[in-house]
PDB file of all heavy atoms in Angstrom:
ATOM      1  N   THR G 318      50.088  -2.210  79.770  1.00 98.00           N
ATOM      2  CA  THR G 318      51.050  -2.092  78.667  1.00 98.00           C
ATOM      3  C   THR G 318      52.482  -2.008  79.179  1.00 98.00           C
ATOM      4  O   THR G 318      53.380  -2.670  78.645  1.00 98.00           O
ATOM      5  CB  THR G 318      50.736  -0.865  77.797  1.00 98.00           C
ATOM      6  OG1 THR G 318      50.604   0.304  78.635  1.00 98.00           O
ATOM      7  CG2 THR G 318      49.447  -1.063  77.002  1.00 98.00           C
ATOM      8  N   LEU G 319      52.704  -1.239  80.233  1.00 98.00           N
ATOM      9  CA  LEU G 319      54.056  -1.113  80.768  1.00 98.00           C
ATOM     10  C   LEU G 319      54.500  -2.400  81.462  1.00 98.00           C
ATOM     11  O   LEU G 319      55.681  -2.769  81.401  1.00 98.00           O
ATOM     12  CB  LEU G 319      54.145   0.075  81.723  1.00 98.00           C
ATOM     13  CG  LEU G 319      53.928   1.454  81.084  1.00 98.00           C
ATOM     14  CD1 LEU G 319      54.198   2.566  82.092  1.00 98.00           C
ATOM     15  CD2 LEU G 319      54.790   1.644  79.854  1.00 98.00           C
ATOM     16  N   ASP G 320      53.572  -3.085  82.103  1.00 98.00           N
ATOM     17  CA  ASP G 320      53.908  -4.381  82.698  1.00 98.00           C
ATOM     18  C   ASP G 320      54.298  -5.382  81.613  1.00 98.00           C
ATOM     19  O   ASP G 320      55.199  -6.203  81.799  1.00 98.00           O
ATOM     20  CB  ASP G 320      52.717  -4.925  83.496  1.00 98.00           C
ATOM     21  CG  ASP G 320      52.524  -4.201  84.817  1.00 98.00           C
ATOM     22  OD1 ASP G 320      53.432  -3.443  85.218  1.00 98.00           O
ATOM     23  OD2 ASP G 320      51.463  -4.392  85.447  1.00 98.00           O
ATOM     24  N   PHE G 321      53.616  -5.314  80.471  1.00 98.00           N
ATOM     25  CA  PHE G 321      53.962  -6.197  79.354  1.00 98.00           C
ATOM     26  C   PHE G 321      55.382  -5.922  78.874  1.00 98.00           C
ATOM     27  O   PHE G 321      56.179  -6.855  78.699  1.00 98.00           O
ATOM     28  CB  PHE G 321      52.974  -6.006  78.211  1.00 98.00           C
ATOM     29  CG  PHE G 321      53.392  -6.703  76.935  1.00 98.00           C
ATOM     30  CD1 PHE G 321      53.263  -8.080  76.802  1.00 98.00           C
ATOM     31  CD2 PHE G 321      53.907  -5.972  75.871  1.00 98.00           C
ATOM     32  CE1 PHE G 321      53.654  -8.723  75.623  1.00 98.00           C
ATOM     33  CE2 PHE G 321      54.294  -6.605  74.697  1.00 98.00           C
ATOM     34  CZ  PHE G 321      54.170  -7.976  74.576  1.00 98.00           C
ATOM     35  N   LEU G 322      55.719  -4.656  78.674  1.00 98.00           N
ATOM     36  CA  LEU G 322      57.074  -4.309  78.227  1.00 98.00           C
ATOM     37  C   LEU G 322      58.113  -4.768  79.241  1.00 98.00           C
ATOM     38  O   LEU G 322      59.152  -5.327  78.876  1.00 98.00           O
ATOM     39  CB  LEU G 322      57.186  -2.805  78.000  1.00 98.00           C
ATOM     40  CG  LEU G 322      56.433  -2.228  76.793  1.00 98.00           C
ATOM     41  CD1 LEU G 322      56.553  -0.708  76.765  1.00 98.00           C
ATOM     42  CD2 LEU G 322      56.942  -2.832  75.490  1.00 98.00           C
ATOM     43  N   SER G 323      57.828  -4.558  80.500  1.00 97.00           N
ATOM     44  CA  SER G 323      58.769  -4.969  81.545  1.00 97.00           C
ATOM     45  C   SER G 323      58.970  -6.482  81.562  1.00 97.00           C
ATOM     46  O   SER G 323      60.078  -6.981  81.760  1.00 97.00           O
ATOM     47  CB  SER G 323      58.261  -4.491  82.908  1.00 97.00           C
ATOM     48  OG  SER G 323      59.122  -4.920  83.947  1.00 97.00           O
ATOM     49  N   SER G 324      57.880  -7.209  81.299  1.00 97.00           N
ATOM     50  CA  SER G 324      57.953  -8.674  81.372  1.00 97.00           C
ATOM     51  C   SER G 324      58.748  -9.288  80.230  1.00 97.00           C
ATOM     52  O   SER G 324      59.231 -10.417  80.341  1.00 97.00           O
ATOM     53  CB  SER G 324      56.534  -9.270  81.374  1.00 97.00           C
ATOM     54  OG  SER G 324      55.912  -9.099  80.102  1.00 97.00           O
ATOM     55  N   ILE G 325      58.894  -8.562  79.117  1.00 97.00           N
ATOM     56  CA  ILE G 325      59.612  -9.123  77.972  1.00 97.00           C
ATOM     57  C   ILE G 325      60.996  -8.512  77.786  1.00 97.00           C
ATOM     58  O   ILE G 325      61.690  -8.833  76.824  1.00 97.00           O
ATOM     59  CB  ILE G 325      58.800  -8.960  76.668  1.00 97.00           C
ATOM     60  CG1 ILE G 325      58.600  -7.478  76.327  1.00 97.00           C
ATOM     61  CG2 ILE G 325      57.464  -9.685  76.780  1.00 97.00           C
ATOM     62  CD1 ILE G 325      57.929  -7.251  74.968  1.00 97.00           C
ATOM     63  N   GLU G 326      61.397  -7.636  78.697  1.00 92.00           N
ATOM     64  CA  GLU G 326      62.746  -7.056  78.612  1.00 92.00           C
ATOM     65  C   GLU G 326      63.801  -8.132  78.812  1.00 92.00           C
ATOM     66  O   GLU G 326      63.666  -8.968  79.712  1.00 92.00           O
ATOM     67  CB  GLU G 326      62.928  -5.981  79.688  1.00 92.00           C
ATOM     68  CG  GLU G 326      62.384  -4.623  79.322  1.00 92.00           C
ATOM     69  CD  GLU G 326      62.761  -3.603  80.384  1.00 92.00           C
ATOM     70  OE1 GLU G 326      63.858  -3.721  80.964  1.00 92.00           O
ATOM     71  OE2 GLU G 326      61.951  -2.694  80.632  1.00 92.00           O
ATOM     72  N   PRO G 327      64.848  -8.110  77.999  1.00 86.00           N
ATOM     73  CA  PRO G 327      65.969  -9.032  78.233  1.00 86.00           C
ATOM     74  C   PRO G 327      66.570  -8.766  79.614  1.00 86.00           C
ATOM     75  O   PRO G 327      66.692  -7.608  80.021  1.00 86.00           O
ATOM     76  CB  PRO G 327      66.968  -8.682  77.120  1.00 86.00           C
ATOM     77  CG  PRO G 327      66.146  -8.006  76.073  1.00 86.00           C
ATOM     78  CD  PRO G 327      65.057  -7.285  76.807  1.00 86.00           C
ATOM     79  N   PRO G 328      66.939  -9.784  80.364  1.00 76.00           N
ATOM     80  CA  PRO G 328      67.490  -9.597  81.713  1.00 76.00           C
ATOM     81  C   PRO G 328      68.660  -8.628  81.765  1.00 76.00           C
ATOM     82  O   PRO G 328      68.744  -7.791  82.653  1.00 76.00           O
ATOM     83  CB  PRO G 328      67.918 -11.014  82.114  1.00 76.00           C
ATOM     84  CG  PRO G 328      67.031 -11.905  81.308  1.00 76.00           C
ATOM     85  CD  PRO G 328      66.818 -11.209  80.015  1.00 76.00           C
ATOM     86  N   ALA G 329      69.550  -8.720  80.771  1.00 58.00           N
ATOM     87  CA  ALA G 329      70.722  -7.850  80.776  1.00 58.00           C
ATOM     88  C   ALA G 329      70.315  -6.392  80.685  1.00 58.00           C
ATOM     89  O   ALA G 329      70.894  -5.526  81.331  1.00 58.00           O
ATOM     90  CB  ALA G 329      71.655  -8.212  79.623  1.00 58.00           C
ATOM     91  N   ALA G 330      69.292  -6.107  79.865  1.00 46.00           N
ATOM     92  CA  ALA G 330      68.847  -4.731  79.715  1.00 46.00           C
ATOM     93  C   ALA G 330      68.255  -4.210  81.009  1.00 46.00           C
ATOM     94  O   ALA G 330      68.517  -3.089  81.436  1.00 46.00           O
ATOM     95  CB  ALA G 330      67.811  -4.627  78.593  1.00 46.00           C
ATOM     96  N   SER G 331      67.490  -5.052  81.707  1.00 44.00           N
ATOM     97  CA  SER G 331      66.897  -4.631  82.973  1.00 44.00           C
ATOM     98  C   SER G 331      67.981  -4.342  84.004  1.00 44.00           C
ATOM     99  O   SER G 331      67.929  -3.358  84.739  1.00 44.00           O
ATOM    100  CB  SER G 331      65.957  -5.721  83.493  1.00 44.00           C
ATOM    101  OG  SER G 331      64.913  -5.943  82.582  1.00 44.00           O
TER     102      SER G 331
END
Side-chain angles (χ1 to χ4, degrees):
T318 51
L319 295 187
D320 285 348
F321 170 76
L322 290 176
S323 178
S324 70
I325 63 174
E326 277 187 34
S331 299

